[in-house]
Amino acid sequence: MHRRTPRQRLLRGVLCGVLALLPALAGGVAVAPAAQARTVARACAPDTAAAGRPDRPVAGTLVSAVRADGRTEQFQQFHDTSAMGGLPFVWHRSQDRPGGAYGAWERVSATPVGPKLYEVDAVENSAGGLEVFFSSYGGFCHTVLRAPGGEWPPAESFGLAPPPYHGGLTLFKERDGRLHAFAASRSEGAAVEVRSQDAAGDDRWGAVRGTGPVPESGVGLSSPAVTQLADGRLRLVAREWNRDRYWTATERERFLSWEPWRLCADAACS
């Protein structure tokens, strides 16, 4: 019988240990996307303890969206004392006609708003639906009321999650009614990210796209201001989140590519 030396036994033990770890390592790589998906899903999860009561309005949170027919839609954050997390929720009421009375408040979502960023944005899309975006646990959630008097679907993650203190979303409506949503990016490959509706008259949103990086290390941008040029291309101007400097980028090809970000001489980026 061949007897292994102590050195051989040590090497064999190390090899067995490595072989034993391989399945675990492979499994870790395989489950990473699923784990990431669970994290995103939790960002817009409902507070199941909340009974749905507008117990206390949050001062300074009233947001309005004017429809094409002249009616105003209002949104307000309310605290619900039965909620588990202590965060407010978005509520909504509609005007019955332009300049007319408002109906009763209804809760938009059981997903809470905040913490740190309590932004709520609302806009009517070109298909006549009422779109609402709000920050929840570091990401933005989204839901659409497609018909007046209908029910709000459960809020879902919108895929844009700006870093802390870099601002929230910038919604921009093109001349044909198509919507775009911009936000500062956490990715090193893009200073700002954008999602766009696939076509005018359609409320489906395309994938998250990047606008390219700022050509200077250590620079982070806030949510940009957006304008549409005469040829239809979009132009962004964004302030550095912690510094009084501005950068601009312009679409090179619609929905495909952006010109490089460049530093502006002033806030107007003229």
Side-chain angles (χ1 to χ4, degrees):
M1 179 182 294
H2 176 69
R3 295 183 179 274
R4 296 184 177 89
T5 66
R7 178 182 177 81
Q8 289 173 324
R9 288 196 296 269
L10 176 62
L11 290 174
R12 184 174 183 274
V14 171
L15 179 60
C16 290
V18 171
L19 291 174
L21 282 173
L22 287 177
L25 292 172
V29 171
V31 301
Q36 183 178 7
R38 286 194 298 270
T39 300
V40 171
R42 282 198 299 270
C44 295
D47 185 334
T48 55
R53 302 194 304 253
D55 291 326
R56 189 174 76 256
V58 180
T61 63
L62 186 66
V63 174
S64 297
V66 180
R67 286 189 176 270
D69 63 6
R71 290 182 299 119
T72 299
E73 309 279 354
Q74 288 188 338
F75 298 84
Q76 175 90 40
Q77 295 177 44
F78 286 87
H79 281 290
D80 183 339
T81 55
S82 66
M84 181 170 52
L87 296 175
F89 299 84
V90 186
W91 287 67
H92 160 253
R93 65 180 182 178
S94 294
Q95 208 171 31
D96 58 3
R97 64 183 186 279
Y102 286 93
W105 286 105
E106 61 175 349
R107 190 175 67 174
V108 171
S109 174
T111 299
V113 184
K116 295 184 179 180
L117 182 63
Y118 292 86
E119 180 176 338
V120 176
D121 301 284
V123 65
E124 184 181 30
N125 61 36
S126 57
L130 190 59
E131 307 219 14
V132 179
F133 309 79
F134 59 94
S135 174
S136 184
Y137 292 103
F140 271 83
C141 305
H142 170 245
T143 183
V144 185
L145 184 67
R146 290 184 168 86
E151 293 186 358
W152 292 92
E156 297 180 343
S157 173
F158 191 62
L160 296 179
Y165 313 112
H166 286 239
L169 291 187
T170 298
L171 295 179
F172 182 79
K173 181 180 287 190
E174 290 200 21
R175 290 186 285 267
D176 64 2
R178 186 190 315 233
L179 294 175
H180 304 269
F182 293 87
S185 172
R186 296 174 185 258
S187 168
E188 294 182 358
V192 170
E193 291 180 329
V194 55
R195 290 192 70 182
S196 304
Q197 286 190 340
D198 291 337
D202 189 343
D203 66 6
R204 292 176 300 175
W205 289 84
V208 175
R209 297 177 289 122
T211 60
V214 171
E216 187 175 309
S217 61
V219 172
L221 301 184
S222 300
S223 54
V226 188
T227 55
Q228 188 171 21
L229 304 181
D231 61 7
R233 293 180 300 148
L234 302 182
R235 180 171 181 254
L236 311 180
V237 176
R239 183 185 181 275
E240 292 185 32
W241 74 277
N242 61 345
R243 192 174 174 184
D244 195 22
R245 295 199 309 175
Y246 294 82
W247 296 78
T248 185
T250 303
E251 272 188 311
R252 180 184 287 118
E253 297 179 82
R254 297 301 320 275
F255 307 103
L256 293 177
S257 62
W258 292 80
E259 295 176 359
W261 285 91
R262 62 177 179 83
L263 189 63
C264 300
D266 51 42
C269 284
S270 55

